[in-house]
Amino acid sequence: MQTVEKKKLLLEVDHLKQYFPVKTDSVFKPKNYVKAVDDVSFHLYEGETLSIVGESGCGKSTTGRAILRLDEPTDGKVLYSGQNILDFNKKEMRKLRGDLQVIFQDPFASLNPRQTVKQILNEAMAIQQVVPKEKRMERMLELLGYVGLPEEALDRYPHEFSGGQRQRIGIARALAVNPKLIICDEAVSALDVSIQAQILNLLKKLQNQFQLTFLFISHDLSVVRHISDRVMVMYLGKVVEIAEKKALFDSPHHPYTKALLSSIPVPNPTYSREKVILKGDVPSPIDPPSGCRFHTRCPFATERCKIEEPALREINKNHYVSCHFAEQLFQ
Ligand code: SF4
């Protein structure tokens, strides 16, 4: 586990595992599992934005879903304000859903197409019983103001809006229940770059206004650079590096992070960054490589890497890396 500073902890994820059974055509075959999230630990401070990055299939979205119990985790703990929410019963979980909200990549799929914005927002408030019925209209208008939508939006349906506007409705719905933590799962990935910037700025503004905590899941490092306080990099179901944003972007210490960062375009035609091309594909999470999971693609792998799994260890203050040679490889 990482060192805990005096900032207030909101969420602690402790040795979280999410395995999905693989269907076999024979009862005699041993059961296999997709180890989508395999022994992941991290924490979130109140009011911060922690981003999870990695290639598709690294387990970042599965981690978010497991925290929310949208999929029931296989093992581990998720401590929210000190309580393990994986032990909560349905009633306790329903109550908690107000505190923990999610914004998905595709607002069109997550908004009911048969409901007007008014019905969508009203339903969210009614389920969580956060605003008395007679005050809901006032609150809805307030919410539209926060996310930059006009009052007329209330009587319109999701298909009548642009992608960016629909994401604003998704944000308003999340805000409607006074959340503390919002998990943004590829929340801006489907939007044009100019609209992405608007939504990111809106999220930042709302975070300051309402002291929100964000777990921001994205494959896009430029977006992550814009919004994060800290960044966690995942590879094949494991955390490989976690650090404050500046430390991670300026001085990555895991070969995988280094390779990911080398692929970000540089907005300067006179400067060219050394590109690290990784060989091969991401191995299967059903039968991940022994030792360090990255050894099949790592340009620095040794015999030790094939046998011994590196621990996630602190190499600088608040900078954790799981590589046997983190200090030697990159100064
Ligand atoms: Fe590469 Fe070995 Fe470090 Fe894994 S432990 S990242 S294989 S050098």
Side-chain angles (χ1 to χ4, degrees):
M1 281 294 288
Q2 297 88 47
T3 310
V4 175
E5 289 187 338
K6 278 194 180 138
K7 294 176 217 167
K8 202 168 169 212
L9 274 178
L10 183 70
L11 189 89
E12 286 178 88
V13 174
D14 195 15
H15 299 288
L16 187 70
K17 290 185 183 173
Q18 182 73 72
Y19 294 178
F20 298 107
V22 181
K23 276 192 186 151
T24 54
D25 45 11
S26 163
V27 284
F28 300 109
K29 276 191 188 164
K31 232 181 180 175
N32 277 328
Y33 292 89
V34 172
K35 293 172 181 165
V37 175
D38 202 4
D39 204 4
V40 162
S41 297
F42 64 95
H43 57 264
L44 257 173
Y45 296 116
E46 265 184 16
E48 78 162 339
T49 300
L50 172 70
S51 291
I52 309 183
V53 290
E55 289 164 293
S56 138
C58 70
K60 53 190 189 306
S61 289
T62 311
T63 301
R65 292 181 63 85
I67 290 169
L68 294 166
R69 292 182 68 185
L70 297 177
D71 299 315
E72 210 51 60
T74 309
D75 201 4
K77 288 182 187 165
V78 176
L79 301 168
Y80 176 73
S81 297
Q83 287 183 290
N84 183 14
I85 65 173
L86 302 189
D87 291 337
F88 279 16
N89 60 29
K90 273 191 181 158
K91 195 173 163 204
E92 290 167 322
M93 229 18 236
R94 205 175 309 127
K95 211 166 154 221
L96 185 74
R97 295 248 176 253
D99 280 16
L100 310 184
Q101 285 291 296
V102 60
I103 301 170
F104 291 108
Q105 173 177 359
D106 182 1
F108 203 40
S110 63
L111 300 172
N112 186 338
R114 281 185 285 276
Q115 285 186 324
T116 60
V117 172
K118 190 174 173 179
Q119 288 167 325
I120 289 168
L121 298 179
N122 186 53
E123 186 180 75
M125 287 187 270
I127 291 172
Q128 287 301 325
Q129 300 173 353
V130 281
V131 183
K133 217 172 179 180
E134 64 282 5
K135 298 246 175 191
R136 282 192 205 146
M137 180 51 90
E138 193 186 321
R139 174 73 175 145
M140 283 190 256
L141 294 174
E142 203 175 60
L143 288 165
L144 290 182
Y146 292 147
V147 300
L149 287 173
E151 282 181 32
E152 306 83 77
L154 277 183
D155 295 316
R156 288 158 60 191
Y157 291 87
H159 73 268
E160 297 177 64
F161 295 89
S162 67
Q165 287 172 325
R166 279 199 288 269
Q167 202 51 297
R168 286 173 192 268
I169 300 168
I171 296 169
R173 182 179 58 182
L175 279 184
V177 295
N178 305 323
K180 291 201 170 69
L181 168 65
I182 301 184
I183 297 184
C184 303
D185 188 1
E186 300 282 5
V188 297
S189 304
L191 305 174
D192 292 342
V193 176
S194 60
I195 309 293
Q196 274 189 358
Q198 289 174 18
I199 298 294
L200 290 174
N201 290 338
L202 173 65
L203 288 171
K204 275 189 151 186
K205 186 191 90 172
L206 295 171
Q207 180 172 43
N208 291 334
Q209 204 170 348
F210 301 109
Q211 288 78 51
L212 298 169
T213 305
F214 289 138
L215 183 63
F216 198 88
I217 296 164
S218 177
H219 69 279
D220 186 335
L221 284 153
S222 307
V223 165
V224 162
R225 187 172 212 158
H226 187 77
I227 196 145
S228 316
D229 294 306
R230 289 187 302 133
V231 181
M232 177 167 113
V233 183
M234 286 186 73
Y235 181 79
L236 213 55
K238 295 267 186 194
V239 177
V240 298
E241 187 156 7
I242 179 163
E244 280 162 19
K245 175 175 69 177
K246 188 166 172 17
L248 190 117
F249 278 87
D250 291 356
S251 177
H253 272 72
H254 194 284
Y256 178 63
T257 313
K258 189 91 178 164
L260 274 188
L261 295 183
S262 79
S263 64
I264 308 178
V266 185
N268 179 354
T270 61
Y271 175 80
S272 86
R273 197 197 317 251
E274 186 198 341
K275 240 189 161 149
V276 184
I277 311 282
L278 291 177
K279 54 182 182 182
D281 296 324
V282 181
S284 163
I286 299 174
D287 186 18
S290 58
C292 174
R293 288 193 179 184
F294 188 53
H295 85 252
T296 54
R297 302 173 79 199
C298 180
F300 309 103
T302 65
E303 282 307 308
R304 181 184 173 195
C305 305
K306 295 179 189 170
I307 304 160
E308 193 185 325
E309 184 177 349
L312 187 67
R313 58 201 172 80
E314 190 171 26
I315 55 146
N316 283 317
K317 193 168 185 287
N318 296 330
H319 193 152
Y320 297 80
V321 184
S322 74
C323 169
H324 296 308
F325 310 109
E327 292 88 343
Q328 294 97 304
L329 288 176
F330 310 110
Q331 299 299 320

